[in-house]
Amino acid sequence: MFNANYQKRREALRSKMAHGLIIFPGNNEAPCNYPDNTYKFRQDSSFLYFFGINQPGMTGVIDIDSGEDYLFGDDVTMDDIIWMGPQPSVKDMAASVHVGHSAPTGELKKFIAEARRQNRPIHYLPPYRHDTMLCLEELLDIRVAELKKHVSLELIKAVVVLRSVKEPCEIEEIERACDIGYEMHTTAMRLCKPGVKEQYIAGVIDGIAASYGSMNSFATILSQNGETLHNHNHGNILEAGKLMLTDAGAETVNNYCSDFTRTVPVGGRFTSRQKDIYNIVVACHDHAIDFARPGQTWKEVHINVCKVLAQGLKDLGLMKGNVDEAVAAGAHALFMPHGLGHMMGLDVHDMEGLGQIYVGYDDETRPSDQFGLASLRMGRRLQEGFVITDEPGCYFIPALIDKWRAEKMFTEFLNYDVIETFKDFGGIRLEDDVLITADGSRFLGQKHIPLTVDEVESIMNE
Ligand SMILES: [Mn+2]
């Protein structure tokens, strides 16, 4: 896609590493229910970032010391051509991204064996597919169960530094994914009527992503039971008076993601109780963008947003006491047990497979073990070029309310008698994708998905 960039990225990576070889195993086709019936192919994101080739069965190798790059893979056979049509040769694919050397997969083992014989360090990222683990086991003679122990922390840290700051061409691609997300969410809003099955709407919006040749950036969450945070059940018939929560995004053909959440009233009009809670979440959502800028930590943004939530709930009589103390104690997490957002890029939870501790935290900003704050995936200081999701929420989870009440949790901050009357409310989450700019932040996407009460009611009643 950005052919000249891959070489620069590999050079940048080399400059951050001391010695040895780096192996980037690309992904293989993944069988669904029999070998030839595969899931839609998805390349490994770090392989894409450094090698840019969206084909299965490839392995990239970077030699830190010699400055040479290698692509290992097999050319298609006549049989492949008959069934799949002509495919570019491995040599041509390598040349297209300025990789100087290419060779059949069979050569990879000899190549790595020679490096091992010379005792050169061999770096690899944490594998997450079992076939990749088996390949690494064979190449490195490290048993699958031991692979994790030998992962290269030096490589993880270098990759995180590079992939965290998005290049202009990456931001453009994320904006494209956002535009598809706009179409998905506005379509869901128009279809959200009593008597319609959740699955129908989920299927239609997934089809929108597919119609762009894209796929979903993750499995669509669409439910009138939005208090279940990752509700993948689409079995309900929408009922008047409920809120439909849709958390969905697209991944472009070049594999950059979007991730949006909207919560709308089934039938198109918010009740006054729904409006009260909804407007608090809108205020949380807007506060993040006002507050996020380079130098600020996302953890501070999260905590400030939680204060907006707690203040709003106090004004409504659900919380009480000192707001700062309530948030410091974690009492608000009854209503928002998750973090404010995560990095986004080639992965919707960008680089999560490398270890959240390295992506979202550093020596300065450490993760918390407090309920709620512990679920914050991203905490560290912001830099220009970071892309993060801003996704506050407010949920009424009956089982959690019952448990906390029985355990007399935070009775100085929580008005359980009032909270009890909201147990049939459901949940609200609002999510947009944020780019950290030189002096602040802005939402991504050319088109603004309706957000305020008026905007949402207006599109639903067109
Ligand atoms: Mn998200």
Side-chain angles (χ1 to χ4, degrees):
M1 175 181 58
F2 324 115
N3 292 10
N5 291 23
Y6 301 112
Q7 190 173 18
K8 278 191 216 145
R9 292 174 186 170
R10 293 191 301 268
E11 288 305 333
L13 180 61
R14 232 189 293 274
S15 74
K16 293 185 181 310
M17 303 283 297
H19 292 294
L21 293 181
I22 309 170
I23 310 180
F24 283 104
N27 281 339
N28 298 310
E29 294 279 17
C32 175
N33 52 335
Y34 54 91
D36 277 355
N37 198 26
T38 56
Y39 292 104
K40 185 173 166 69
F41 175 69
R42 177 53 158 86
Q43 185 57 285
D44 173 74
S45 296
S46 289
F47 182 86
L48 275 174
Y49 186 81
F50 292 105
F51 288 87
I53 296 166
N54 204 353
Q55 289 277 338
M58 300 286 151
T59 301
V61 175
I62 292 176
D63 188 324
I64 301 163
D65 307 302
S66 75
E68 299 296 326
D69 299 322
Y70 301 80
L71 183 69
F72 293 89
D74 292 323
D75 283 333
V76 292
T77 62
M78 183 51 70
D79 233 26
D80 296 327
I81 292 170
I82 291 166
W83 291 94
M84 297 150 39
Q87 310 287 325
S89 69
V90 174
K91 188 166 182 255
D92 287 349
M93 285 191 276
S96 74
V97 290
H98 306 280
V99 168
H101 308 271
S102 64
T105 304
E107 302 290 315
L108 176 62
K109 197 168 179 197
K110 283 182 242 166
F111 187 81
I112 297 297
E114 175 58 21
R116 288 177 54 208
R117 204 183 52 75
Q118 297 173 23
N119 282 319
R120 300 184 65 195
I122 298 175
H123 303 272
Y124 61 91
L125 295 171
Y128 52 93
R129 287 197 180 190
H130 295 100
D131 52 345
T132 307
M133 294 176 197
L134 293 172
C135 161
L136 288 171
E137 178 182 55
E138 200 190 332
L139 288 176
L140 305 173
D141 203 20
I142 299 172
R143 293 190 51 198
V144 165
E146 305 289 307
L147 280 170
K148 254 196 188 148
K149 268 198 276 181
H150 298 272
V151 154
S152 169
L153 193 54
E154 186 188 0
L155 177 61
I156 290 174
K157 289 185 171 174
V159 170
V160 168
V161 167
L162 293 173
R163 283 182 56 190
S164 291
V165 177
K166 272 62 182 178
E167 299 164 7
C169 63
E170 296 184 280
I171 292 162
E172 275 174 35
E173 197 63 28
I174 292 171
E175 300 250 34
R176 269 179 216 122
C178 289
D179 288 347
I180 305 171
Y182 169 88
E183 211 176 310
M184 293 164 76
H185 280 272
T186 50
T187 301
M189 288 175 185
R190 291 193 178 97
L191 293 174
C192 176
K193 302 211 157 66
V196 177
K197 195 169 188 183
E198 293 166 348
Q199 181 59 65
Y200 173 72
I201 305 176
V204 170
I205 69 171
D206 289 357
I208 290 172
S211 75
Y212 285 89
S214 314
M215 50 194 217
N216 293 96
S217 48
F218 57 98
T220 291
I221 297 164
L222 188 149
S223 177
Q224 63 183 359
N225 298 323
E227 73 280 9
T228 302
L229 302 184
H230 279 181
N231 199 335
H232 290 134
N233 178 340
H234 303 143
N236 299 306
I237 308 286
L238 295 175
E239 295 163 35
K242 289 265 201 181
L243 293 164
M244 180 181 84
L245 185 153
T246 306
D247 184 347
E251 181 176 311
T252 64
V253 286
N254 294 315
N255 300 104
Y256 282 85
C257 300
S258 64
D259 183 4
F260 295 107
T261 309
R262 288 294 185 270
T263 309
V264 302
V266 177
R269 295 281 172 209
F270 288 96
T271 65
S272 76
R273 186 175 78 153
Q274 286 170 343
K275 254 184 232 178
D276 287 343
I277 302 292
Y278 190 87
N279 283 328
I280 296 172
V281 184
V282 171
C284 293
H285 166 275
D286 294 350
H287 186 72
I289 196 92
D290 291 341
F291 200 65
R293 69 181 71 87
Q296 191 70 258
T297 70
W298 192 248
K299 190 175 180 176
E300 286 169 280
V301 179
H302 168 91
I303 288 168
N304 275 282
V305 163
C306 291
K307 288 178 185 173
V308 174
L309 176 70
Q311 183 63 54
L313 292 171
K314 183 180 167 182
D315 294 344
L316 286 182
L318 285 93
M319 291 187 73
K320 58 187 175 182
N322 181 291
V323 163
D324 290 354
E325 288 170 16
V327 169
H332 66 287
L334 176 66
F335 308 101
M336 185 174 144
H338 61 72
L340 183 62
H342 48 83
M343 299 275 252
M344 193 186 77
L346 279 163
D347 305 307
V348 69
H349 289 177
D350 210 21
M351 302 172 277
E352 192 162 283
L354 306 191
Q356 204 55 58
I357 189 86
Y358 307 116
V359 178
Y361 292 90
D362 54 19
D363 293 340
E364 181 201 2
T365 310
R366 303 304 301 158
S368 162
D369 55 11
Q370 185 186 76
F371 178 75
L373 195 51
S375 299
L376 181 65
R377 292 187 166 94
M378 165 73 192
R380 68 189 164 108
R381 218 166 272 287
L382 302 171
Q383 294 171 34
E384 184 181 357
F386 280 14
V387 172
I388 308 170
T389 63
D390 166 24
E391 49 179 313
C394 184
Y395 314 86
F396 295 88
I397 306 167
L400 187 62
I401 295 169
D402 290 346
K403 179 171 187 282
W404 278 32
R405 183 167 206 176
E407 291 170 3
K408 300 192 168 53
M409 291 274 284
F410 303 118
T411 47
E412 66 276 41
F413 300 121
L414 298 170
N415 276 325
Y416 283 107
D417 286 342
V418 183
I419 295 167
E420 199 73 32
T421 67
F422 279 78
K423 275 161 92 177
D424 60 345
F425 185 91
I428 292 172
R429 177 163 65 253
L430 299 172
E431 176 177 26
D432 274 296
D433 304 329
V434 173
L435 171 68
I436 305 301
T437 59
D439 55 0
S441 54
R442 71 169 176 90
F443 289 125
L444 287 163
Q446 323 283 337
K447 297 172 185 164
H448 165 78
I449 304 172
L451 179 86
T452 64
V453 165
D454 286 348
E455 288 167 355
V456 168
E457 290 191 345
S458 154
I459 188 172
M460 293 183 81
N461 293 286
E462 264 171 9

